[in-house]
Amino acid sequence: MSALLAVAVISTAAAQDALPPVTAPNDAPPSIADTDVRQFAAIAGRKVVGHPVGGPVATADKVLLLVRDDKGFPDIVASFGLPARQSLPPPPKGTLAIIRLHQRSTTIVPGPTDDDLAFVGANRIPLFVIGEWARPAPMWEVAWVDDGVRFRTIGEVGEIGPWRE
């Protein structure tokens, strides 16, 4: 009987050694925004369009940081102005997505700038870009998709277009 018990103990120990180590859950935000975050960004971000930016830079871009509140709903945790030609700094921990409102188009074809694409490539966090130069304000989602930065248009209430490079 004791030999059988010893075999069982050895078998259990060997099985535990074969299991992969338990790791902490990944705290990184998803590289593509959840549907509720996208819809929130489409509605809340466009409410800011046309409002002046306070401070010394009249042509500053507006930046909104999105998180989940204590009930799990998307919320704006911070908003600030950033000079139009300045790259976004890395986001604080816990940020789900960022909304950047450009005052004017700096690209030949309206859409995200090279800085916007580089930011997502470096930080792998969803970025929503809204153009304040037109009404209704155009919006794009920039995300890390299939090992590359892609963007797509976002409609007035969060409907999505196809991914483009």
Side-chain angles (χ1 to χ4, degrees):
M1 181 82 162
S2 62
L4 193 56
L5 183 59
V7 170
V9 169
I10 292 171
S11 302
T12 304
Q16 287 178 346
D17 289 339
L19 294 176
V22 176
T23 58
N26 187 0
D27 289 338
S31 60
I32 301 174
D34 294 333
T35 301
D36 63 333
V37 173
R38 185 181 315 107
Q39 291 171 340
F40 180 82
I43 295 168
R46 284 189 172 109
K47 284 184 178 181
V48 180
V49 170
H51 293 276
V53 177
V57 183
T59 60
D61 289 349
K62 296 175 205 125
V63 179
L64 309 172
L65 303 180
L66 303 182
V67 297
R68 289 201 183 274
D69 65 12
D70 57 349
K71 296 178 184 169
F73 297 111
D75 196 12
I76 298 171
V77 70
S79 65
F80 55 93
L82 190 71
R85 297 196 189 284
Q86 184 174 334
S87 298
L88 287 170
K93 187 174 181 172
T95 304
L96 285 177
I98 297 174
I99 302 172
R100 185 171 190 167
L101 294 97
H102 289 292
Q103 294 276 329
R104 56 181 76 124
S105 179
T106 58
T107 58
I108 295 171
V109 176
T113 65
D114 290 339
D115 272 350
D116 296 332
L117 301 173
F119 172 81
V120 172
N123 296 288
R124 313 264 169 95
I125 186 168
L127 173 66
F128 296 97
V129 177
I130 299 176
E132 292 196 85
W133 60 83
R135 298 294 183 274
M139 180 174 174
W140 299 268
E141 177 182 10
V142 185
W144 185 262
V145 180
D146 298 330
D147 296 327
V149 177
R150 312 264 192 273
F151 65 94
R152 62 185 174 186
T153 57
I154 304 293
E156 291 186 29
V157 290
E159 63 274 14
I160 56 177
W163 288 109
R164 295 183 283 174
E165 293 184 8

